[in-house]
Amino acid sequence: MTTLPTVPDLAIGTVLQLDGEDWRYGGRPLRLRVERVLHEISHYYQDEWVWIVGEQLDRQGAAQGRIEALVRVTALRGRD
């Protein structure tokens, strides 16, 4: 039996710095301030990916608009 990664609880306001391969459909690095983690959807992705809703940030931390990102759970290790 394969052990799947645990989807961590991320506090609202947590800033994630993701590489392009750590989230789907973006293909570029992403800086994201967490507003909501959609745990209930993760089981559709075998808990390997989780939807995160938040605010995209530029390098200086200024808000660039709302974004929903499908994020690789292993990219979140050490943040729960």
Side-chain angles (χ1 to χ4, degrees):
M1 181 173 168
T2 304
T3 302
L4 297 173
T6 302
V7 179
D9 286 319
L10 296 172
I12 303 302
T14 298
V15 175
L16 302 174
Q17 183 66 49
L18 303 169
D19 293 329
E21 64 273 5
D22 290 335
W23 66 293
R24 286 193 175 171
Y25 316 118
R28 59 179 169 74
L30 173 66
R31 192 168 175 187
L32 171 67
R33 182 173 41 234
V34 175
E35 294 176 359
R36 187 170 173 210
V37 179
L38 303 175
H39 290 278
E40 64 276 11
I41 297 174
S42 296
H43 70 275
Y44 292 111
Y45 300 97
Q46 290 74 46
D47 290 332
E48 293 178 9
W49 297 87
V50 62
W51 278 104
I52 298 178
V53 178
E55 188 77 30
Q56 183 173 344
L57 305 174
D58 67 11
R59 290 181 188 201
Q60 291 74 38
Q64 299 297 301
R66 190 175 182 132
I67 189 169
E68 296 182 10
L70 186 57
V71 177
R72 187 184 309 272
V73 170
T74 55
L76 305 175
R77 284 193 180 151
R79 297 186 177 276
D80 54 344

